[in-house]
Amino acid sequence: MEFFESISGSSMILTSVSLSATYLCALYIYVKSVKAKLSKKSIFMFILFSFIFSITITAAEQNYFSVSRLIFLILTICSFVLADKKYELRVIPMSMIAIGLSHGIKMISAAAVALIDTFVGLRDVSFMDLYVSVAVHFVLTVMFMRIRRFQNGFSFFREKENISIGLIISGIIVILSCFDFKDERYTTIALFIIVFGILISAIGLVIWIRRKITMLYRKRLESRAEVHYQAMLEEKDKYIEQLLKCNEFLSKVVHRDNHLMGALQHTIGQYLNSNDESERERILGEILTMAEERSEIIRKEQISSKVLPSTGVSMIDGTLGELYIKAAAHNIDFDVTVSEQLHYLVNNILSQTDIQTLLCDHIKDAVIAVESAGHISGKILVSFAMPDSIYEIAVKDNGIDFDSDTLQKLGTERVTTHAGSGGSGIGFMTTFETLRKVQASLIITEYKEKQPFSKSVAFRFDGQNQFIIRTYRKNALAASILRHDLIITS
């Protein structure tokens, strides 16, 4: 107690410096707790305000200590509210807790300096002691707010259910801060009891804060786990829906084939027992017609029953569904593989509209290429994956390859080899513009074996903005294509 009395009574300037340090440390705690952002101008104004304000309050303390300290608290809270620009009830306990912590750290720093003075044998308090105490005050405040549990501030005080406990603590701080500990009316024992009570309260406050932070952390983990399990349930539901549709499709086929097999068995028996050649040809024609009709019915059932895997974005799923129907209308087997959903890509790299445009343009081009190849069994595969941790969308087909003239002009002017089939050449123009915006690469791969696919058009979001052709005919294309932006590899 002698240390506090000697500091507070030595000079009005010393008291002002100590009060200003308490204010600035409380401001630092409050700003860190509520994650407020202060401009350099605001910081300068708060520092200037702290000195002017502290000198004024110190002068008033000579005759009206308790009243002046109460005014100090009220004006401090008002200034903190202005710093955060949030006029809510919960700002009051947050600011009061910040002030209380600053007062507590101030007492710890002063006690530490007093112990050092006692250890080295100094009895008189000097100006240097105050400066060291203020420096320790600032250092301990910064260290306290760098504790891992407090780095994100006291977020639990922002919850409505914790306002009451915050207000209780605030009231205690108001009462204690208005005591004049150098008043002769307080005995040494009374002062010791008050200080001891403050210390116990501070320990209790720290324990309570730690427990509340732990509870909040557990609550957030439970919330994240709930979201994760909900996503898993939705994925399972989609999988079950897909199995149910497949089961329904197979049930229809089996049911129809049960009737068909009896008729087919009877017809084959007629064919085998008939000696009339024209009758045998008629029966054979009926069998072939029956088989063709069955294939057509099953194809239509597959179109209506097939469930494509989800990309995670409903609009993209709808687009792929429409393109699947378009491909099926041309007797093309259309499939989608999703090893990585589109959430990150849509939210961080490319817009949903741009992805839809890329898919529509190149899947339609693939349909035209397959039709031009004249395949009995056309195939198109769209894949969403992350090879080497880089997002990639690829459209593969077993259609005809690009000719060298098309590759020479690709993306620089509108060119197509399928104008009669609906090709306009504008698709690749749009593709190059879209990929250039996000520095993505276009990679065309040609396969020599042609089975199951002849080529792949991939959009790789690698930040390289390259145009690459990987082909078995490297030498032929390199001799006929002259482009500075093209890389041809085998």
Side-chain angles (χ1 to χ4, degrees):
M1 291 297 100
E2 182 180 349
F3 178 79
F4 293 106
E5 292 176 7
S6 55
I7 284 186
S8 57
S10 49
S11 173
M12 190 173 110
I13 296 177
L14 295 179
T15 305
S16 299
V17 172
S18 178
L19 200 60
S20 178
T22 303
Y23 172 85
L24 292 175
C25 287
L27 176 65
Y28 177 79
I29 294 171
Y30 179 80
V31 169
K32 286 290 185 180
S33 298
V34 300
K35 296 183 179 180
K37 293 183 179 180
L38 300 179
S39 62
K40 291 182 179 179
K41 182 180 178 181
S42 297
I43 294 173
F44 174 77
M45 292 301 295
F46 276 112
I47 293 174
L48 181 63
F49 173 76
S50 70
F51 285 112
I52 296 173
F53 185 45
S54 299
I55 292 172
T56 305
I57 293 299
T58 303
E61 279 185 1
Q62 303 301 319
N63 299 312
Y64 308 100
F65 181 87
S66 297
V67 175
S68 63
R69 282 301 173 97
L70 183 60
I71 294 173
F72 173 78
L73 276 168
I74 294 171
L75 293 179
T76 300
I77 293 171
C78 292
S79 66
F80 287 2
V81 172
L82 293 174
D84 193 28
K85 298 179 181 179
K86 292 180 180 177
Y87 311 104
E88 302 175 356
L89 178 61
R90 67 192 73 181
V91 171
I92 297 175
M94 288 292 294
S95 57
M96 293 299 295
I97 294 300
I99 295 168
L101 286 172
S102 182
H103 276 290
I105 295 172
K106 172 187 174 182
M107 293 181 64
I108 294 172
S109 60
V113 174
L115 287 173
I116 294 173
D117 285 347
T118 303
F119 182 75
V120 298
L122 295 177
R123 294 187 177 181
D124 297 327
V125 178
S126 64
F127 282 90
M128 184 60 67
D129 290 324
L130 176 66
Y131 297 142
V132 172
S133 177
V134 168
V136 173
H137 190 178
F138 280 113
V139 171
L140 290 179
T141 301
V142 173
M143 290 175 63
F144 178 79
M145 294 309 295
R146 286 188 177 180
I147 295 175
R148 185 173 61 86
R149 284 183 174 268
F150 302 136
Q151 284 181 347
N152 294 322
F154 311 118
S155 56
F156 46 85
F157 278 117
R158 293 193 284 271
E159 298 180 4
K160 292 182 179 179
E161 60 268 22
N162 295 326
I163 289 180
S164 57
I165 187 67
L167 289 174
I168 292 171
I169 296 171
S170 302
I172 295 172
I173 293 171
V174 170
I175 294 171
L176 293 177
S177 63
C178 292
F179 274 104
D180 186 3
F181 292 104
K182 65 180 183 293
D183 194 325
E184 295 179 356
R185 289 175 295 178
Y186 297 114
T187 63
T188 304
I189 296 176
L191 290 173
F192 176 78
I193 292 172
I194 291 172
V195 172
F196 183 74
I198 293 173
L199 181 62
I200 295 298
S201 299
I203 294 172
L205 177 61
V206 171
I207 294 172
W208 181 77
I209 288 175
R210 287 174 63 89
R211 288 183 177 178
K212 288 298 293 183
I213 289 177
T214 302
M215 289 173 62
L216 183 63
Y217 179 70
R218 288 177 179 173
K219 186 177 178 180
R220 288 180 177 174
L221 282 180
E222 289 174 0
S223 178
R224 289 178 184 175
E226 185 178 350
V227 171
H228 174 69
Y229 287 127
Q230 187 63 35
M232 288 181 63
L233 285 174
E234 289 178 359
E235 186 177 346
K236 294 292 183 185
D237 288 342
K238 289 180 180 178
Y239 181 66
I240 291 171
E241 181 185 358
Q242 184 176 358
L243 289 178
L244 288 173
K245 286 190 175 183
C246 290
N247 183 61
E248 183 182 357
F249 165 70
L250 291 174
S251 297
K252 288 180 180 179
V253 172
V254 171
H255 178 72
R256 188 178 293 108
D257 283 353
N258 284 335
H259 297 289
L260 183 64
M261 291 305 294
L264 185 60
Q265 184 179 6
H266 177 72
T267 306
I268 292 175
Q270 287 182 325
Y271 177 83
L272 294 174
N273 295 327
S274 176
N275 294 320
D276 188 347
E277 189 65 31
S278 60
E279 180 67 14
R280 288 168 64 92
E281 288 182 5
R282 183 187 65 79
I283 294 172
L284 183 60
E286 288 180 1
I287 293 173
L288 293 175
T289 301
M290 189 182 301
E292 186 177 345
E293 287 177 354
R294 179 185 179 276
S295 298
E296 181 63 20
I297 290 171
I298 290 177
R299 189 184 68 81
K300 289 180 179 180
E301 289 287 352
Q302 285 178 324
I303 293 173
S304 61
S305 301
K306 187 170 184 177
V307 179
L308 298 174
S310 175
T311 62
V313 181
S314 298
M315 293 297 291
I316 303 297
D317 291 345
T319 300
L320 291 170
E322 292 178 3
L323 293 167
Y324 162 67
I325 293 172
K326 181 179 178 65
H330 292 269
N331 296 319
I332 297 173
D333 184 16
F334 183 94
D335 275 305
V336 176
T337 61
V338 182
S339 59
E340 192 68 33
Q341 293 193 327
L342 285 170
H343 296 113
Y344 180 81
L345 188 66
V346 170
N347 294 326
N348 297 278
I349 300 176
L350 202 60
S351 71
Q352 178 179 289
T353 302
D354 285 337
I355 294 174
Q356 284 178 292
T357 302
L358 286 174
L359 292 172
C360 287
D361 285 341
H362 293 282
I363 292 174
K364 288 177 181 177
D365 283 349
V367 170
I368 294 172
V370 171
E371 286 278 283
S372 300
H375 284 297
I376 297 175
S377 58
K379 293 181 182 295
I380 294 175
L381 174 65
V382 183
S383 64
F384 301 88
M386 285 190 70
D388 303 322
S389 299
I390 299 174
Y391 210 103
E392 184 176 289
I393 300 175
V395 179
K396 299 180 180 180
D397 65 70
N398 62 345
I400 61 173
D401 289 333
F402 294 104
D403 60 46
S404 59
D405 185 58
T406 300
L407 293 173
Q408 172 65 42
K409 299 176 181 179
L410 212 59
T412 59
E413 58 182 276
R414 293 175 60 170
V415 58
T416 179
T417 56
H418 315 302
S421 304
S424 64
I426 197 172
F428 270 103
M429 293 289 291
T430 306
T431 296
F432 273 85
E433 291 174 6
T434 301
L435 298 181
R436 196 177 297 117
K437 285 192 302 184
V438 294
Q439 296 294 298
S441 296
L442 172 65
I443 303 173
I444 297 176
T445 305
E446 297 180 340
Y447 306 105
K448 186 175 182 180
E449 299 300 325
K450 305 301 181 186
Q451 289 296 330
F453 302 104
S454 59
K455 67 177 183 297
S456 166
V457 177
F459 318 112
R460 187 171 173 83
F461 300 90
D462 55 5
Q464 301 296 319
N465 191 27
Q466 294 179 327
F467 177 24
I468 301 172
I469 298 178
R470 297 169 179 165
T471 178
Y472 60 92
R473 47 181 184 145
K474 175 184 175 181
N475 295 333
L477 291 182
S480 58
I481 300 175
L482 301 175
R483 292 183 59 155
H484 69 280
D485 63 336
L486 175 62
I487 300 172
I488 302 177
T489 64
S490 56

